[in-house]
Amino acid sequence: MRTITKQCVGLLGLVVTIVGTAVIADEVNFQRDVRPILAANCFTCHGPDDEARQAGLRLDESTGATADLGGYQAIDPGNRNDSELWKRLTTSDAGMRMPPTASHEPLTPLEIETLGRWIDEGAVYQRHWAFVPPQKIAIPDVTNPQQCRGPIDRMILARLEGKKLIAAPEADRYALVRRLYLDLVGLPPTPQEADGFVADQSPLAYERLVDALLASPDYAERWTRPWLDLARYADTNGYEKDRPRTIWPYRDWVLNAINVDMPFDEFSILQIAGDMLPAATDNDRIATGFHRNTMLNEEGGIDPLEYRFHAVVDRVATTGIVWLGLTTGCAQCHTHKYDPLTHTDYYSLFALLNNADEPELDADGGAMSESRKQFLDQIRTAEDTWIAANIIGDEVDQEADSPASKFRTWFADLVAKSSAWVVMQPATIESSSPTLKLLDDGSVLAAGDITKRDVYQFQFVARSPDQWEADTGVRLDKITAIRLEALPHESLPANGPGMAYYEGRRGDFFLSQIIVSSGGQPVELAAASHSYGKLSIGSGNADAANVIDSDDSTGWSTAGGEGQPHSLVINLAKPIAVDQPLEISLLFERHFAAALGRLRFSVTSNEEPAVAMVIDSGLESLLHSGLNVSQHEYARRFFQTAESVQDQYAPIAKRIARLPEAVRTLVMRQRDKNPRATFRHHRGEYLQPRESVPAAIPAVFAPLAGQLPLDRLQLAQWLVSDGNPLVGRVTVDRAWREFFGRGIVHSAGDYGTQSPPPSHPEVLDYLAIEFINSAWSMKRLHREIVLSATYRQSNHRRDEVTAIDPENRLLAVGPRRRLEFERIRDAMLAASGLLVRRQGGPSVYPPQPQSVVAMAYGNETWPPSTGGDRYRRSVYTFAKRTAPFAASTMFDGPTGELCLPRRDSSNSPLQSLTLLNDPMFVEIAAAMVEDVFRCSANAGDEVIATELFRRLLTRRPTDQELGEIISFRRALPIASGTENYNAQCWLLVARAVMNLDEAITTP
């Protein structure tokens, strides 16, 4: 037809009339017939995108299509001949014809006639089906209702009967039981379980099996994996360095939620905004790890704020795919060319997700926290025992070299070096990036964004000596030294005191310069000291003097001392008066973002130069009250820090080193103050912010929305409300795809105008409505699908079906699909007897070649797990973004970099070679043979062959299949005198059967 159109334009009217008469009999439907033509051929230049629009013509809506364009209309409803669109489609002038022939294939005669008839019939526009809320429909009557088990089947069968097709008969019971097990729990049944089901003749046998599998803990491990694909889950940060992150508590949260059948609306709200719920628990906060799965760039040269922008870009795109089924990410750079999502809409949605900070959370849970507490109590008891025997007991040794004598010397040195410090609370606080908050103890806590160059500015009001004494209890008439305390806090990475969040630097900071002024005049700074100083990486030192040397490339850091208090003391060259306003500026400048997270200022008027000491503020007041006030606490500090007794403390230090490390995972936390402004970024570029935009959902949904969302929690609540017509459809269609290999809407992440229409829109809407009305229960949804006769059909193809429906969109036969890698490996682990059913916990390392990760950054190694961890289910396999698990990649597994609504399903020789030769699968095959021998001692070839076959394929082999397996085994070129000859032969047989197509597909 395209050839005829190009060569015989003059005959076009006759051709389209003939085609129209012969083919188009019913009234033209805009949604079904017209929109796909316009979307594919016209919307690029005449669609929603203002910047890309040509000639001011907009064809995606009625107002634009019928507008007066200077004496003519593109569409004159009811009259094709007066419509400029028709004239441009049918003209013989190549320069005037649309679409332009130089850049676009011409429309077919059938497409042109469809548009002409639509114009003649009134050019009625209809809202895109996806934006119309699901509607209840009458369940159709069918000729053979006995073939149906529920509404799904009636709707499917009605379509089949309309095409003169018949549904396939029910699959045999061995195929059914294997299909059910693999689909619901991701594991095959044992031969005994399969035989039990086949022998059960009860009409309720199938239903009972479905309910048992839905109640199994294995169900959650099967269904967590598709959600992790959507959540772009991985155990590393991504980008070049791709260092590990602790995100598995989020994965375990998903497992637990699916296991208890958490309603999908609650499941959604918690993951988007669990931290914002009233009385939110730590478990609710862990759920927000969904959007912390974004990648994190740790390279030194990057701008952290730019990559935070990119993280929110990813969250907008992912939210759009998961809960709207729309390609919202396409509107980052410009108004969407095909769907009603404007550039401003995109950044309004961006604004709803833009006001979250990204802290860590202690995710140990009760059991681990209690274990750590008991361990610490044991350590403290050991310390107390030593102190009582050597320091403060009535009969301790007082000789010169004794611990008691050394303690007295150590304490006297503390008293000599100590100064009377008075805490100063700043009157005003300013920061270039983080939000700074004054706490009750006079310290300042930072939160939010940090950059590679942050400046904190503090102003302290002038006070007379009398005011100082009245306010603090200490009379100050001058200031001779300033102390900066770097303090830990639970909200900071690794408990702080710094805000650096990079692996290997978490909790670190880098203070480059301190600048002090009094009464508006610079203050000269003299000697500086620190209680602890160390750089996290690179050459140089972290000496306190670096902060007053006017060199921004040097500074003070406390790497390795995370979670502990540290201090920096700076003496003034000359005392300054206390009745002058004081200003202190702190500069944090490094090739990575490393601002200080919690700090406190103190001053002293001591005449002697002040020195920073390893002592926390809680003990400081006791120091000046005399040893007897709390001599036991000072003895403990002496025992822990004094070099003279470190040999006695060494056994305790070793026990502390074995202390279980706290598990801290990544979560979201809404900003309660200083919300970020959001701007529309021209062409989507970080460096081109334009006008500010308010938080809002896309305007296309506004008529349905009711109260418009203003923050992340309200967005989450709207996404699972009646105001969003897409969430039910998108969610049930994902489930449908998991069972049938193809969704009712083929384009998994795109329900927009460019997507093909649903194959069974009535089934989609029916399931969406039922899903919501059944309290958003995923298990009930899955139950209804697998109980249907449609699901139970045999998947043997028939020629008459293939001729009409080669892709099985009409579902005249049952589902048949290639299993994804996780189910392949898990099924074979189960068949071999190796599978370890232990849920949750840190990710594990099944065996794979070391070369897989050797080429990644840092020449890392892959430490294969030992014991049971080696054989746990694949959902627990450590996922490294830049070097994904090799066998998974071979079977189209995800990398975790982007939201994946649908995996590809390829078929390559490399997959067969992986199953045959990968050391992991060889190990599985060897274990399977060993287990078969153990269970079938002294059995003949037929018994062993049958057992291997059934473990992998469930059904019994036919006589022909059994004969071929045995013939293969006996023809193997292995000398009968070879060590373990029998096991070696059957190992090769097991590897061959594992490679059968039937072993890695649903039956």
Side-chain angles (χ1 to χ4, degrees), residues 838-851:
R838 183 169 68 248
Q839 290 197 321
S843 297
V844 298
Y845 299 79
Q848 72 166 347
Q850 289 293 336
S851 59

Side-chain angles (χ1 to χ4, degrees), residues 95-131:
M96 297 292 289
R97 192 185 318 140
M98 288 290 155
T101 56
S103 60
H104 202 288
E105 282 287 312
L107 272 63
T108 66
L110 178 58
E111 290 171 333
I112 294 173
E113 177 61 15
T114 298
L115 294 176
R117 290 196 57 193
W118 171 65
I119 295 172
D120 287 343
E121 292 171 5
V124 177
Y125 276 78
Q126 296 166 326
R127 192 177 178 88
H128 180 52
W129 68 266
F131 303 135

Side-chain angles (χ1 to χ4, degrees), residues 226-497:
W227 186 260
L228 296 183
D229 284 5
L230 293 169
R232 60 268 194 255
Y233 176 87
D235 293 294
T236 59
N237 289 330
Y239 295 111
E240 180 200 27
K241 290 181 172 55
D242 198 27
R243 292 191 176 105
R245 59 168 54 167
T246 303
I247 195 66
W248 58 261
Y250 164 75
R251 179 248 289 148
D252 284 3
W253 181 90
V254 176
L255 275 164
N256 294 330
I258 292 177
N259 200 36
V260 300
D261 196 23
M262 179 182 288
F264 184 78
D265 58 343
E266 180 184 355
F267 181 75
S268 301
I269 290 170
L270 287 173
Q271 291 183 83
I272 298 174
D275 60 302
M276 298 178 67
L277 293 174
T281 65
D282 283 351
N283 213 37
D284 297 335
R285 297 183 182 94
I286 288 172
T288 63
F290 176 87
H291 271 323
R292 288 304 310 278
N293 279 307
T294 46
M295 295 197 295
L296 173 65
N297 195 333
E298 299 180 275
E299 295 179 43
I302 61 100
D303 180 348
L305 295 186
E306 178 183 3
Y307 278 86
R308 197 201 67 79
F309 170 83
H310 292 319
V312 182
V313 164
D314 174 72
R315 288 165 190 161
V316 173
T318 298
T319 300
I321 290 171
V322 175
W323 285 280
L324 296 172
L326 296 177
T327 53
T328 54
C330 291
Q332 176 192 348
C333 305
H334 49 71
T335 293
H336 204 297
K337 293 185 181 299
Y338 305 107
D339 295 332
L341 299 171
T342 68
H343 201 197
T344 300
D345 280 339
Y346 176 89
Y347 286 100
S348 291
L349 187 56
F350 187 105
L352 288 166
L353 296 168
N354 195 28
N355 273 303
D357 289 331
E358 301 181 350
E360 293 180 327
L361 175 73
D362 188 341
D364 278 349
M368 183 64 77
S369 296
E370 183 60 29
S371 173
R372 184 177 290 107
K373 179 179 180 298
Q374 292 175 1
F375 199 92
L376 288 172
D377 287 345
Q378 293 172 10
I379 292 172
R380 196 172 187 87
T381 299
E383 288 179 336
D384 291 344
T385 300
W386 188 90
I387 291 169
N390 294 279
I391 302 294
I392 61 175
D394 293 334
E395 299 180 0
V396 298
D397 184 3
Q398 299 294 329
E399 294 296 327
D401 289 335
S402 69
S405 177
K406 293 176 180 178
F407 171 66
R408 289 195 302 274
T409 302
W410 175 84
F411 182 76
D413 187 53
L414 283 184
V415 173
K417 293 180 177 179
S418 65
S419 300
W421 295 103
V422 180
V423 172
M424 293 193 305
Q425 289 195 6
T428 62
I429 305 172
E430 293 182 7
S431 164
S432 59
S433 296
T435 302
L436 301 180
K437 177 182 179 182
L438 183 64
L439 303 183
D440 293 340
D441 64 354
S443 66
V444 175
L445 181 64
D449 304 328
I450 57 175
T451 71
K452 292 182 294 183
R453 190 182 193 280
D454 282 316
V455 178
Y456 296 176
Q457 293 180 308
F458 305 90
Q459 292 186 337
F460 304 88
V461 297
R463 287 186 282 190
S464 68
D466 290 339
Q467 288 175 313
W468 273 102
E469 186 171 16
D471 293 342
T472 67
V474 178
R475 185 175 182 83
L476 286 179
D477 55 4
K478 60 184 177 182
I479 297 175
T480 60
I482 298 173
R483 182 178 68 176
L484 169 65
E485 292 177 272
L487 302 172
H489 194 272
E490 61 183 5
S491 69
L492 301 172
N495 289 321

Side-chain angles (χ1 to χ4, degrees), residues 30 34 57-59 61-69 72-87 114-126:
F30 176 77
V34 176
L57 172 60
R58 184 170 183 176
L59 290 174
E61 60 179 21
S62 177
T63 303
T66 59
D68 185 350
L69 298 175
Y72 67 89
Q73 289 176 277
I75 294 176
D76 181 8
N79 187 351
R80 75 170 81 178
N81 292 323
D82 286 343
S83 299
E84 188 66 19
L85 175 64
W86 178 257
K87 295 175 182 177
T114 298
L115 294 176
R117 290 196 57 193
W118 171 65
I119 295 172
D120 287 343
E121 292 171 5
V124 177
Y125 276 78
Q126 296 166 326

Side-chain angles (χ1 to χ4, degrees), residues 6 30 91 133 168 187 260 265 290 532 651 657 680 813 817 857 919:
K6 290 178 179 178
F30 176 77
T91 181
L187 300 171
V260 300
D265 58 343
F290 176 87
Y532 175 85
R680 181 184 65 82
V813 297
R817 60 176 301 199
Y857 176 88

